[in-house]
Amino acid sequence: MRSSALLFSAFLLAASAPASAQSIADGSVKALQDTGNFKISEKTAYLPTAQVLWMSYNKIKTVQHAGALSRATRSSYSSTEVNSPVEPDKLQPLAQQLYDDLVSKLEAAGWKVETAQEMNGALTGMKSFKADAASGLQVESWGAGKYAAIAPAGMVPVDTQSPGTGMAQARFIKGKGGVVLIASYRFDTASFSSDRGTGYSDTHASTSAAAELRLGGSISAISDRGWFGSTIYEPLPISGAVGSLAPLGSNDASRMNRGTSRWLGLADSSKSAFEFVPDGDKIYAEALRAGLELNTAFVQRLEAKKKM
């Protein structure tokens, strides 16, 4: 049975987004980058799971080395990191709502969908992410960041980049005419920027972060006649009105003293750390709105790429 109550609440939350919030449906379609091809003989989609990947930590760093054409002789270094709270009691319902919405949109596009409940554990052997020792949550590493992986109740997150996961899906789908689909929704709670350069007699490097919800994600499709993936690698900005960054300790004190910097061969070196503080539940409403629109883009891309 579909979770109609959860799906209805999803659309209520999406409708509650501020009128100024930007629509990302068109942007996500353009941002998705495709890999591979797949063929099917019937429009049957097996959905064993879906997952929200929520940023728990991310970092930016930059180094400016001394330039050969200037009088600068020492390099500059800067880094900024952000820690973000992970609330499974908020994220698991979000994952469920996005999963239910994807099921509905696939069915509306003419697909027959076998849900995780209907598959009843028939697809086995997919690989999980490593569990964090402190929280017990599965965590994915992506670039310099770490993301807690949260699946709907009764489902488990899986590492879609693992060869073992792909082989497990291939064994399951062999001889079937449809496709195994796994959607991942990646959310960052901060954006990062950097600047660096070389002057006449010195170098400079700086980094910064701002509280902002950003959306990435991917959909993986495996049939018995191919594999297809579509991914947003560069996260899309969704909303900056979702929280703030609070300094962790004294960021002024984190700047290395001049003597230490010189000893390390640096003209200057600074390190800053922050914690993301959400503004109530606004970030989850915005994440839901963005994820629902990403589902639209996922289905459009599958429809465009499928071959029968």
Side-chain angles (χ1 to χ4, degrees):
M1 180 181 294
R2 305 283 188 262
S3 180
S4 57
L6 282 171
L7 186 56
F8 179 68
S9 66
F11 284 106
L12 283 180
L13 274 172
S16 70
S20 60
Q22 72 177 99
S23 172
I24 56 92
D26 292 340
S28 59
V29 169
K30 295 176 182 177
L32 285 167
Q33 298 183 35
D34 299 338
T35 305
N37 293 283
F38 73 105
K39 292 183 179 181
I40 55 175
S41 58
E42 61 182 52
K43 288 183 69 173
T44 300
Y46 300 88
L47 272 63
T49 190
Q51 53 205 10
V52 165
L53 302 168
W54 194 266
M55 186 187 110
S56 60
Y57 170 85
N58 214 335
K59 178 180 182 178
I60 187 173
K61 62 181 180 180
T62 188
V63 176
Q64 178 60 56
H65 296 290
L69 301 180
S70 76
R71 296 182 62 183
T73 59
R74 297 177 182 271
S75 302
S76 294
Y77 170 88
S78 178
S79 69
T80 298
E81 61 184 51
V82 175
N83 291 275
S84 184
V86 176
E87 300 181 279
D89 60 324
K90 304 289 182 64
L91 296 175
Q92 192 170 68
L94 172 62
Q96 183 70 62
Q97 290 165 335
L98 294 175
Y99 179 89
D100 289 343
D101 177 69
L102 181 58
V103 170
S104 295
K105 285 175 177 171
L106 285 167
E107 290 177 335
W111 290 79
K112 176 186 176 183
V113 178
E114 292 282 330
T115 65
Q117 183 178 12
E118 291 162 340
M119 291 173 68
N120 195 29
L123 201 171
T124 60
M126 293 189 293
K127 301 300 181 182
S128 300
F129 300 106
K130 291 184 178 179
D132 176 68
S135 66
L137 297 173
Q138 291 189 40
V139 175
E140 181 207 36
S141 295
W142 179 267
K146 295 185 182 299
Y147 296 80
I150 308 292
M155 306 180 206
V156 295
V158 297
D159 182 359
T160 57
Q161 300 299 310
S162 167
T165 296
M167 289 188 289
Q169 294 175 74
R171 287 192 298 269
F172 170 82
I173 202 65
K174 185 176 181 180
K176 299 180 175 69
V179 62
V180 178
L181 297 179
I182 299 178
S184 301
Y185 310 86
R186 184 185 313 282
F187 296 101
D188 285 82
T189 57
S191 58
F192 296 86
S193 60
S194 65
D195 181 59
R196 62 178 184 169
T198 302
Y200 176 67
S201 61
D202 216 338
T203 60
H204 72 270
S206 63
T207 54
S208 61
E212 181 181 37
L213 180 67
R214 298 174 72 87
L215 171 71
S218 64
I219 192 163
S220 168
I222 293 183
S223 73
D224 65 352
R225 290 187 291 170
W227 171 86
F228 171 76
S230 195
T231 303
I232 297 176
Y233 291 100
E234 185 64 31
L236 300 170
I238 302 303
S239 176
V242 292
S244 59
L245 296 184
L248 285 175
S250 172
N251 285 320
D252 287 336
S254 73
R255 180 177 292 275
M256 290 185 186
N257 63 54
R258 193 166 185 80
T260 303
S261 294
R262 294 290 181 180
W263 181 74
L264 291 173
L266 299 171
D268 190 27
S269 179
S270 64
K271 297 181 179 181
S272 300
F274 299 89
E275 181 174 9
F276 174 75
V277 181
D279 183 2
D281 287 342
K282 289 181 181 179
I283 192 166
Y284 302 110
E286 285 295 288
L288 177 59
R289 177 183 68 86
L292 294 174
E293 294 193 46
L294 183 55
N295 277 343
T296 299
F298 281 157
V299 174
Q300 288 177 0
R301 187 54 54 91
L302 285 169
E303 283 292 292
K305 294 295 181 178
K306 74 177 188 301
K307 295 181 180 179
M308 300 186 71

